[in-house]
Amino acid sequence: MEQVTTLGLDLAKSVFQVHGVDAGGAVVVIKKLRREKVLAFFKTLAPCLVGMEACGTAHYWAREIGALGHTVKLMPAKYVKAYVKRGKSDAADAAAICEAAPRPSMRPVPVKTVEQQSALMVHRARQLLVGQHTQLVNAIRGHMAELGIIAPVGRAGLAQLLCVIDDETDARLPSAARATLQALAALREALSQQIDNLGRAIHAAYRACAQSRRLETIPGIGPITASALTASVADANAFKSGRDLAAWIGLTPKNDSSGGKERLKGISKQGDRYLRQLLVGGAMAVIRHAQAHPDKHPWLVALLARMPVKKAAVAYANKMARIAWALLVNGGSYRAPAAAAST
């Protein structure tokens, strides 16, 4: 077998497909590998370029294969799709990955460390539990509304409903309904405690990371958003500018131009949905503060005069992402425009 210079690896749960070519582009290896034989196969190869699609398990395999001396390049699956010639099979996917990997225009996905993946796992778990908590609260409200028992929105209203559920003397709830609602309320309380535990873990990681503490100085970015940014952005220098980071998160307009006519649509919503949600939520908080104290946010007040609130929130979230990139690359902390001008 000729020496492999570029190899495409199609990841799977149990059976992996490899496609390798030599320096001249000739195919020298096409084979399937069981999971337990993947690392043994790469140990027999001379150092080469290994391409993989970025997915849930790709970062683990990138670290393991990279430790054997190979150069690993993770690529977005959407970009690799264009190199599939015809049909859909593991062999065709591996060939497309091998074809796409050496392209100089193919932007790689930075490989995350175990620590970064662990930090993101805490965020994802908390996000999942928050969604389940919301579902339980809505279920409790809906079931009690069927019996004519309603309460205002928010935590105060929920507390009123929980008091009715716990009050055995309240005749508005039949015994069967009360037992069911008590089970839902107990589950909601357990989820709330787990969410608090994960929140404390995120805050502990935030306090231990100097980058997160510097990002938290940006208005609209709190400990959770700062921790998520440092865990998601493996290397800020991989982005040429702050706008590239904002585009990666999905906060830039989608371009649909042709024939010299510029057409910009809404934001692309590509990239990291969780980061986009956190940044837009933080931007809304800053907007509420700007509406109450217009003298402290003149740029944002001028923006609100020209566009709706939600659109202004996305624009400010874009600005927050660009500022975050500048702090990650250049260091330092955020300085308000007035303070920066006086300096």
Side-chain angles (χ1 to χ4, degrees):
M1 182 177 68
E2 297 292 334
Q3 181 176 351
V4 177
T5 58
T6 305
L7 189 141
L9 177 62
D10 185 46
L11 300 176
K13 181 179 179 181
S14 301
V15 181
F16 296 67
Q17 181 75 36
V18 297
H19 183 101
V21 299
D22 60 14
V27 179
V28 294
V29 57
I30 298 178
K31 65 186 306 183
K32 292 182 178 180
L33 295 172
R34 301 293 299 182
R35 182 183 182 89
E36 60 273 10
K37 296 184 178 179
V38 172
L39 293 180
F41 170 77
F42 281 97
K43 287 180 181 178
T44 63
L45 293 180
C48 63
L49 173 63
V50 180
M52 291 185 288
E53 289 180 331
C55 62
T57 62
H59 296 276
Y60 163 78
W61 288 111
R63 291 193 299 268
E64 294 294 322
I65 295 174
L68 299 176
H70 301 285
T71 302
V72 181
K73 187 175 184 179
L74 299 184
M75 301 167 290
K78 184 177 180 180
Y79 296 168
V80 177
K81 183 65 177 178
Y83 293 90
V84 178
K85 294 181 175 62
R86 178 177 294 182
K88 174 68 176 72
S89 66
D90 292 344
D93 289 345
I97 294 170
C98 183
E99 181 74 19
R103 301 299 179 188
S105 60
M106 181 62 65
R107 290 179 292 180
V109 175
V111 179
K112 290 183 173 61
T113 64
V114 176
E115 291 74 18
Q116 287 174 317
Q117 286 189 297
S118 300
L120 284 175
M121 192 179 300
V122 180
H123 283 271
R124 303 304 188 200
R126 182 181 179 277
Q127 183 186 24
L128 173 64
L129 295 185
V130 168
Q132 293 177 345
H133 183 274
T134 303
Q135 290 177 345
L136 282 172
V137 171
N138 291 339
I140 292 172
R141 286 183 175 275
H143 290 319
M144 297 190 73
E146 292 176 357
L147 299 175
I149 305 172
I150 60 173
V153 297
R155 294 183 178 181
L158 178 62
Q160 294 178 17
L161 296 179
L162 295 177
C163 289
V164 174
I165 294 172
D166 293 335
D167 187 1
E168 299 288 345
T169 62
D170 196 321
R172 291 179 295 176
L173 280 182
S175 58
R178 188 183 304 279
T180 302
L181 291 170
Q182 284 177 343
L184 293 179
L187 184 56
R188 186 210 67 85
E189 180 61 26
L191 279 177
S192 181
Q193 292 179 359
Q194 293 297 331
I195 292 171
D196 291 341
N197 293 338
L198 292 175
R200 283 191 288 269
I202 292 175
H203 279 72
Y206 151 78
R207 288 191 296 268
C209 179
Q211 284 187 334
S212 295
R213 294 196 303 272
R214 288 192 289 104
L215 290 180
E216 199 262 341
T217 60
I218 302 173
I221 293 183
I224 292 179
T225 306
S227 175
L229 275 169
T230 53
S232 299
V233 182
D235 181 15
N237 290 292
F239 301 96
K240 294 181 180 179
S241 64
R243 191 182 187 283
D244 286 354
L245 176 60
W248 177 75
I249 297 174
L251 290 170
T252 52
K254 189 174 182 180
N255 200 326
D256 188 23
S257 303
S258 179
K261 296 182 179 179
E262 296 290 334
R263 298 185 182 91
L264 297 180
K265 298 183 177 180
I267 59 173
S268 65
K269 295 186 179 180
Q270 296 178 349
D272 198 312
R273 181 179 181 180
Y274 179 61
L275 281 181
R276 188 166 60 251
Q277 173 186 341
L278 292 175
L279 289 172
V280 174
M284 286 297 298
V286 177
I287 285 178
R288 287 193 292 269
H289 188 267
Q291 291 172 336
H293 306 278
D295 57 313
K296 295 184 178 181
H297 303 275
W299 178 85
L300 197 50
V301 171
L303 194 67
L304 289 169
R306 303 195 309 268
M307 61 182 64
V309 172
K310 293 294 182 67
K311 191 173 182 180
V314 174
Y316 186 70
N318 180 296
K319 184 176 183 179
M320 289 162 58
R322 289 185 275 118
I323 296 173
W325 175 85
L327 296 187
L328 290 173
V329 172
N330 303 319
S333 300
Y334 174 78
R335 295 181 298 167
S342 63
T343 303

